Amino acid sequence: MTDLETRAAPPRPAALRRAAPALLGYAAVRALGLLTLAVWSGARGKSAYTLLTARWDSLWYTRVAELGYGYEVRLPNGDVHSNLAFFPLLPWLERLLHAATPLSYAGAGFTVSLLASLAAAWGIFAVADLVHGRRAGVCAVLLWAVLPVGIVQSMAYSESLFTALAAWSLYAVLTGRWLTAGLLAALAGLTRPVGLAVVAAVWAAGIASFVRMRSETRPHGAHGEEHAPSPARRALAMLLAPLGAAAYVLWVGHRTGKGPLGYLDVQAGWRNGFDGGYAFARFVADKFTSFPSALAGVGLIVGVGLVIWLYVVGVRQGQPLPLLVYTGAVTALALCASSYFGSKPRLLLPAFPLLLPLAVALARLRTSRSALVVGGVAALSAAYGAFWLNGSGPP
């Protein structure tokens, strides 16, 4: 089913009951991860809460929330790290929650991420349930929860917020809620640069829908689908979708005085850009200069191969066009970025449709067997997440 087919959605109370097993399972996996992190960090004399809320990108987001934009760090090599690189929706929510509650900015960011991760899990279930059925939907959520870098879903980062907005925007497209899809895509565009992937999915779905409607038009002007969505709604959704990203990028260009491309200059200050994967390929090739690092090189190649294979299987299984466009865009932007190679697994977190083929396979197993598989992987993921954050962590 590569063409868009609008499907009926269950009523909201029934939808929540239907998603309950997935949400409870997700909460259990994340609780295991947080508990493991707390124990591991305590044994090393570190604070798990600090690791989740006050390191790496979390600090940049809370600074924006507290002081606004304009802060930058000039490195000895001449690079300029500006907080304009960080999109504003998460800091806005942190500031709003801080103002409305006794929470600190860091605590607000942590709370937003926890709530957003649950919303993301529900959205992933909704999409997978719609495409492959309830059992596969539960499995997709659990697989997303047990990813090796799943601990990021509980950090004061923007991945969970973005994934929630992206998943529900895709669900809205698949169920014919065009205005909702456009609005959520615009919000996703205010969250991360990869919001362009959601915009591309909405546009691809809209264009496919227009083409399909045109091909099904009868000779006398009647449509084959009497209750087809209004073309005006689809057009408005397509206009809404890019507004968030466009507004922020244009504002950054105005603030820096460098015009529409000013945001690219900000990213260049972080040595970040899009080079089609050339720098990443060189990074992988350099791993083969010595034996120990060669094992890491093999692991990277296997990982990239697995990502590509899962995408191809998704195509063969007939995933809807919006999912394929979205996943392809997220994957390309993650793998073809020119720096922060250690961040690539984290950058792939929003590409949840890649998990659908595995979810379908897992759903075919007996419940006891699938529970054993998920439980074992969840334990390994929790241990890895604790080790990772107490070590190098996500840049």
Side-chain angles (χ1 to χ4, degrees):
M1 187 186 63
T2 54
D3 291 326
L4 179 66
E5 292 183 3
T6 300
R7 300 181 172 195
R12 191 166 301 173
L16 181 56
R17 287 195 299 270
R18 189 174 178 83
L23 297 180
L24 291 173
Y26 177 80
V29 172
R30 289 274 38 89
L32 175 63
L34 293 174
L35 178 61
T36 304
L37 176 64
V39 173
W40 195 304
S41 302
R44 294 174 58 89
K46 295 183 179 181
S47 166
Y49 182 73
T50 299
L51 293 175
L52 292 167
T53 65
R55 291 183 68 187
W56 306 293
D57 289 4
S58 300
L59 291 173
W60 288 90
Y61 282 119
T62 55
R63 184 179 288 273
V64 172
E66 184 176 5
L67 302 175
Y69 286 104
Y71 176 77
E72 62 184 29
V73 175
R74 294 184 178 272
L75 304 183
N77 64 358
D79 290 347
V80 178
H81 288 184
S82 168
N83 64 1
L84 290 169
F86 296 88
F87 277 49
L89 186 58
L90 177 57
W92 286 349
L93 293 176
E94 290 178 350
R95 181 180 298 179
L96 178 63
L97 193 56
H98 169 74
T101 69
L103 291 171
S104 66
Y105 288 104
F110 181 61
T111 302
V112 169
S113 289
L114 287 182
L115 296 176
S117 68
L118 287 171
W122 191 1
I124 291 169
F125 170 82
V127 170
D129 179 26
L130 198 66
V131 177
H132 293 297
R134 185 185 190 188
R135 191 174 175 86
V138 173
C139 292
V141 171
L142 295 177
L143 288 172
W144 191 66
V146 303
L147 287 172
V149 294
I151 191 65
V152 175
Q153 298 162 16
S154 301
M155 296 179 68
Y157 272 41
S158 60
E159 272 78 8
S160 290
L161 178 60
F162 174 79
T163 304
L165 294 168
W168 283 110
S169 179
L170 292 169
Y171 178 76
V173 165
L174 294 174
T175 54
R177 295 173 168 87
W178 287 96
L179 294 183
T180 300
L183 178 60
L184 292 175
L187 291 174
L190 283 171
T191 308
R192 296 182 64 82
V194 75
L196 294 175
V198 189
V199 176
V202 173
W203 273 70
I207 292 171
S209 184
F210 279 122
V211 170
R212 185 179 177 187
M213 182 184 68
R214 187 183 184 94
S215 66
E216 292 179 354
T217 300
R218 295 172 180 170
H220 298 292
H223 293 284
E225 298 181 5
E226 294 181 5
H227 302 289
S230 164
R233 286 179 176 268
R234 279 173 287 183
L236 183 56
M238 294 172 70
L239 290 175
L240 283 173
L243 290 184
Y248 183 68
V249 167
L250 292 175
W251 178 81
V252 170
H254 173 74
R255 184 180 177 103
T256 59
K258 296 183 179 180
L261 301 181
Y263 183 76
L264 298 181
D265 288 339
V266 170
Q267 286 285 6
W270 287 79
R271 292 187 178 271
N272 199 15
F274 186 89
D275 64 358
Y278 174 74
F280 183 46
R282 289 191 58 183
F283 173 78
V284 174
D286 289 342
K287 294 293 183 182
F288 291 92
T289 57
S290 63
F291 171 70
S293 64
L295 297 177
V298 172
L300 289 170
I301 292 174
V302 171
V304 172
L306 177 61
V307 167
I308 295 173
W309 176 76
L310 288 173
Y311 185 79
V312 171
V313 173
V315 173
R316 290 177 176 174
Q317 289 183 344
Q319 285 187 17
L321 177 64
L323 298 189
L324 294 175
V325 171
Y326 167 77
T327 308
V330 172
T331 302
L333 290 171
L335 295 181
C336 297
S338 59
S339 65
Y340 296 100
F341 306 118
S343 296
K344 293 194 181 297
R346 172 172 68 86
L347 298 178
L348 284 168
L349 264 180
F352 67 88
L354 288 173
L355 300 173
L356 295 187
L358 296 178
V360 170
L362 188 62
R364 291 172 180 161
L365 300 178
R366 293 180 179 178
T367 300
S368 58
R369 189 170 298 179
S370 60
L372 184 63
V373 171
V374 171
V377 177
L380 292 174
S381 174
Y384 178 77
F387 168 78
W388 190 42
L389 287 198
N390 278 277
S392 61

